[in-house]
Amino acid sequence: MTAESLSYKDAGVDIDAGDALVDRIKPLARRTLRDGVLAGIGGFGALFEVPKRYREPVLVSGTDGVGTKLKLAFALNGHDTVGIDLVAMSVNDILVQGAEPLFFLDYFACGRLDVDTAARVVGGIARGCEQSGCALIGGETAEMPGMYPDGEYDLAGFAVGVVEKARIIGGDRVAAGDVLLGLASSGAHSNGYSLIRRVLERAWGRVDAPQAENDFHGRRFADVLLEPTRIYVKPMLQLIGALPVKAIAHITGGGLVENVPRVIPPGLQAVMHRDAWPMPPLFGWLQHEGAIADSEMHRVFNCGIGLVVVVEAAEAERARAMLAAAGEQVWKIGEVVERPAQAPAAIVV
């Protein structure tokens, strides 16, 4: 008896669906093209030429994912913006060292490829690339039956940027008396979502409860929860080109009190004043419903500040005005001081 012929599709991998997704992705990627792209989507490797205006170019790379915010996206059918989150987490990280993002690659992994869902996700990735001025030049779609439940996927992203060697921002010039400027976040960004989901389960019973459709300060609650991470690249590159920026901290996992010290030299302390900026309603709701201590809020969430910029006191108002003119909400949230003995490197008072 002749055995029945098996195909890759019988094993759960649909090559035709993968080809269809590539066809959907190509026009999205074309919208992100910029000077330097030599070969992009479709090849075994993507080619990019470092801009010739750099005399001593240093490449800066970053990689990240979206984390358990994806669980909310699955539950709330919010696939259109998680791609922006993916790009934001990497490009904001390399921006901290003064780098201009050049190109981005994504990795999309699933158990069964749903072309429409994947195209929605990649559409968000393309929008994130447009917002940050980098090119989407490659990626990988992996269909792996048995690795992920139906309807779920995982994302990873990889960004490469460039900075002039003499203009690398490392935080070594930060001194006592410098000012901390805080740029508003768009929400929880892509951090703390394991705790957020726990709070939702406590408050609602499940994360996809009907309450997700309720009005929350003029918006659908689900949209507030899934608001994509703000990308700070373009206004910050303008600022870096206009005046001396001593340090930048991207407020991600670890919140305010663990990220700001990463760019503050030993012997100094970042003092942030809680009443210097308005905490968005989402964080107040999470703190109330989860009975979360202030100290835990400050080490888990951004609490409304997505980026902290350190400048000399004499440059603080000019920097604030430039960022505000570029569309950012900015507050003077604190200062750098000599660090008292046994004191933490950053505090919120």
Side-chain angles (χ1 to χ4, degrees), residues 102-347:
L102 297 175
F103 59 84
F104 189 84
L105 297 94
D106 70 281
Y107 176 78
F108 180 100
C110 59
R112 182 181 63 82
L113 180 60
D114 182 310
V115 174
D116 289 337
T117 296
R120 290 170 64 187
V121 173
V122 177
I125 294 172
R127 290 196 301 278
C129 287
E130 289 180 88
Q131 289 178 25
S132 56
C134 68
L136 176 60
I137 60 172
E140 171 68 9
T141 302
E143 189 174 19
M144 298 183 287
M147 285 288 287
Y148 299 91
D150 281 351
E152 295 196 3
Y153 53 82
D154 198 10
L155 293 174
F158 313 86
V160 174
V162 63
V163 61
E164 197 71 67
K165 187 174 183 179
R167 296 180 65 85
I168 294 172
I169 298 174
D172 51 295
R173 294 184 296 111
V174 174
D178 288 341
V179 167
L180 306 176
L181 298 177
L183 279 66
S185 68
S186 54
H189 286 184
S190 295
N191 301 104
Y193 274 84
S194 295
L195 180 54
I196 289 174
R197 289 186 299 113
R198 187 69 177 270
V199 172
L200 294 175
E201 289 165 357
R202 174 186 285 189
W204 297 348
R206 66 181 200 271
V207 298
D208 60 345
Q211 289 94 321
E213 297 298 320
N214 288 351
D215 176 86
F216 185 80
H217 295 266
R219 299 180 62 200
R220 191 172 72 112
F221 210 152
D223 293 335
V224 174
L225 291 166
L226 291 174
E227 179 70 25
T229 306
R230 189 165 182 83
I231 293 175
Y232 300 98
V233 170
K234 291 181 179 179
M236 279 303 304
L237 289 178
Q238 291 176 1
L239 182 71
I240 291 166
L243 56 82
V245 172
K246 290 192 172 185
I248 308 169
H250 184 202
I251 310 306
T252 57
L256 288 163
V257 295
E258 292 191 7
N259 281 291
V260 177
R262 296 168 67 180
V263 298
I264 301 294
L268 299 176
Q269 182 185 55
V271 179
M272 290 165 278
H273 303 280
R274 181 61 201 86
D275 60 355
W277 76 94
M279 189 165 73
L282 173 63
F283 297 107
W285 185 89
L286 290 168
Q287 183 169 21
H288 177 266
E289 294 294 331
I292 304 170
D294 286 346
S295 59
E296 186 74 357
M297 291 292 295
H298 296 145
R299 68 192 293 263
V300 174
F301 300 119
N302 65 58
C303 294
I305 299 295
L307 204 73
V308 173
V309 180
V310 185
V311 295
E312 288 185 6
E315 298 282 8
E317 179 52 32
R318 186 158 74 105
R320 189 207 62 77
M322 283 190 64
L323 290 167
E328 299 297 326
Q329 287 185 290
V330 191
W331 301 275
K332 178 182 174 182
I333 64 169
E335 60 279 331
V336 178
V337 301
E338 298 290 344
R339 184 177 178 180
Q342 309 303 316
I347 57 173

Side-chain angles (χ1 to χ4, degrees), residues 25-49:
I25 288 172
K26 284 182 177 179
L28 301 176
R30 277 197 294 271
R31 293 206 310 263
T32 73
L33 291 181
R34 53 162 291 165
D35 291 344
V37 178
L38 302 180
I41 300 290
F44 287 97
L47 303 178
F48 194 98
E49 183 178 35

